[in-house]
């Protein structure tokens, strides 16, 4: 099987042009087939504010009503995605910007209204990995914005971490997939106060142990649960690292936190 | 050679959701390989106004400074393009939204600063018709936003009519191309006061004759000059028609104005 590297970057990379440029240069240096998935960043909030579109938060979560969906479609699908693609092209990476609607790559379902109506938020139903595989075979580098769509034709705001893991799981049928979550720390920390206390490797057993001891903090748990599920479903390796160490992390030089399945 | 239909729609279609929906349904009905190119519409101006970004006009032309480039990237590349793609997917058309930066499909050069500095406006240098052909062979339907990019990585605002004709000319190497310009009239009119006075066919000779007599008005001349140049460069047929007659026009039922080369 061919190896495929899937990398997710978040707001901390996107919001700073210099950091983004540095990341994209490192990304170029990673050999072989690869996919980039970007989150939203602060620009959507800034644009919404300038457009006087109120941000509605319920229980700490942002609600995507129709005006906010238009903003994220503009900012994630347009501004952020196309700027990344154009910058990658400029350094010789043949990138293609996609939302889940493009070539029907990721279809989702509008989240059911329960206690909270999240609005136009999508839960992924189907990844068209055959189509994604065609792009990869053409030596194109897909760059996904965190937007999917539902059968009725609505675009849907979609969590970028979840989108990355769904794409990783589905492409793992045909590839040996490494999924990399870049974030603002050097990896999963054993001491939240010490940025150098990176846990170099996690298995389901050691993860359970760290959780029981309260070492791994609350915010990391959904990300890690998600990552271990991806491993169970066929993804070969998950790495959690700082964006500026992505090339070293992928090359296996021991930076970041490497998650491995015991299966 | 396979036939390929390339259709350009403008603001009059994009700005009205019902008109757009009707157009997309007609577009679905057109058999064979096809490409859609959309213009900008009024939404960019509205968003710029709401963001307090001043529209600078010099000699009747809009200047694309950096803030305005961000707006058109958001609106054309994000909002308009992705809404069209999602709506096409919903009715079973496997659309893929593209700017010229995506998969390096259309590269341009920032217009040289002469008497007027147009800002981030691109003049097309190269269409990657091999890549476009690959999408078409995959039975994907490319949907282009009027944005290209230059080697240095800047996105560039690009005239949608010109983009349509450049793509038509370049794909004509491998396909029998029909280029369709949809606009708000039923075709080229012999009497601007009478919407039914459609000139059914134009050749370079009859076009020259109409121009000499002052029958064809000033606004149509750049569009028609552009269209005749596309015919000279290998495009098989150019049709100018109303958006809601596109299916009939393409099927050759005699609506709209058909331009034919005498070569």
């Amino acid at each position: 099987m061919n190896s495929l590297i899937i990398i997710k970057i978040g707001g901390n990379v996107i919001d700073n042009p210099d950091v983004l440029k540095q990341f994209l240069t490192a990304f170029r240096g990673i050999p072989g087939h690869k996919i980039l998935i970007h989150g939203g960043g602060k620009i959507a909030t800034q644009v919404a504010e300038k457009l006087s579109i109120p941000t509605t938060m319920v229980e700490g979560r942002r609600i995507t009503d129709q005006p906010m969906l238009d903003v994220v479609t503009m900012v994630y699908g347009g501004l952020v995605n196309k700027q990344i693609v154009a910058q990658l092209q400029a350094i010789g990476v043949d990138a293609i910007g996609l939302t889940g609607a493009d070539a029907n790559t990721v279809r989702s379902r509008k989240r059911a209204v329960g206690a909270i109506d999240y609005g136009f938020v999508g839960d992924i139903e189907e990844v068209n990995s055959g189509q994604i595989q065609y792009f990869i075979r053409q030596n194109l580098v897909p760059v996904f914005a965190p937007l999917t769509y539902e059968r009725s034709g609505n675009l849907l705001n979609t969590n970028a971490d979840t989108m990355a893991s769904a794409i990783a799981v589905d492409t793992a049928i045909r590839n040996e997939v490494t999924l990399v979550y870049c974030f603002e720390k050097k990896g999963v920390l054993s001491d939240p106060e010490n940025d150098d206390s990176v846990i170099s490797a996690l298995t389901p057993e050691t993860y359970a142990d760290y959780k029981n001891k309260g070492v791994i903090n609350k915010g990391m748990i959904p990300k890690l649960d998600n990552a271990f599920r991806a491993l169970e479903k066929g993804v070969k390796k998950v790495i959690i690292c700082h964006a500026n160490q992505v090339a070293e992390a992928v090359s296996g030089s021991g930076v970041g936190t490497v998650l491995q399945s015991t299966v």
Side-chain angles (χ1 to χ4, degrees), chain A:
Chain A
M1 287 214 282
N2 289 314
S3 78
L4 171 64
I5 315 285
I6 300 180
I7 300 176
K8 187 259 166 175
I9 52 170
N12 63 314
V13 178
I14 295 158
D15 291 333
N16 182 326
D18 291 333
V19 173
L20 178 61
K21 197 178 175 186
Q22 195 184 342
F23 169 81
L24 295 177
T25 305
F27 181 77
R28 172 183 57 177
I30 296 169
H33 293 316
K34 50 204 172 185
I35 295 175
L36 182 62
I37 293 147
H38 63 82
K42 290 179 193 151
I43 313 167
T45 308
Q46 288 164 358
V47 170
E49 270 173 22
K50 285 188 195 162
L51 291 171
S52 310
I53 293 168
T55 295
T56 313
M57 304 290 284
V58 176
E59 293 185 5
R61 299 220 190 182
R62 180 195 298 260
I63 305 300
T64 308
D65 56 7
Q66 181 70 55
M68 191 56 78
L69 177 66
D70 288 351
V71 169
V72 299
T73 303
M74 289 198 292
V75 174
Y76 303 167
L79 195 62
V80 174
N81 190 265
K82 298 312 171 190
Q83 284 181 344
I84 289 175
V85 167
Q87 285 180 46
L88 283 172
Q89 288 289 349
I91 57 173
V93 178
D94 200 359
I96 179 165
L98 300 166
T99 67
D102 295 293
N104 182 34
T105 40
V106 189
R107 195 171 48 72
S108 62
R109 183 192 288 262
K110 189 167 175 288
R111 190 169 299 169
V113 178
I116 299 174
D117 179 359
Y118 290 98
F120 292 97
V121 166
D123 292 316
I124 293 171
E125 284 204 320
E126 194 181 13
V127 175
N128 185 349
S129 62
Q131 186 63 68
I132 295 170
Q133 192 71 21
Y134 274 117
F135 293 136
I136 292 168
R137 281 214 194 111
Q138 275 292 110
N139 292 314
L140 291 171
V141 175
V143 176
F144 281 96
L147 294 165
T148 58
Y149 86 110
E150 61 175 350
R151 280 194 204 280
S152 67
N154 284 316
L155 290 157
L156 295 170
N157 193 4
T158 305
N159 181 280
D161 280 4
T162 314
M163 200 158 162
S165 85
I167 290 171
V169 166
D170 234 74
T171 52
I173 302 163
R174 298 177 178 85
N175 303 274
E176 212 175 83
V177 173
T178 301
L179 171 61
V180 185
Y181 286 110
C182 294
F183 79 146
E184 65 280 11
K185 302 284 180 186
K186 289 180 183 170
V188 182
L189 304 180
S190 59
D191 173 6
E193 304 296 305
N194 176 4
D195 273 2
D196 289 322
S197 66
V198 176
I199 301 168
S200 62
L202 278 176
T203 63
E205 292 72 26
T206 56
Y207 173 48
D209 199 41
Y210 279 120
K211 269 199 296 190
N212 288 340
K213 290 179 183 157
V215 168
I216 289 175
N217 71 9
K218 215 177 157 185
M220 280 306 289
I221 291 174
K223 201 184 269 283
L224 286 169
D225 283 347
N226 200 18
F228 276 109
R229 266 198 302 276
L231 287 177
E232 281 167 25
K233 290 181 180 169
V235 172
K236 192 78 178 174
K237 196 199 266 188
V238 179
I239 304 172
I240 296 176
C241 66
H242 196 286
N244 66 20
Q245 292 189 310
V246 67
E248 296 88 324
V250 168
S251 72
S253 61
V255 303
T257 301
V258 177
L259 275 60
Q260 276 162 327
S261 172
T262 44
V263 180

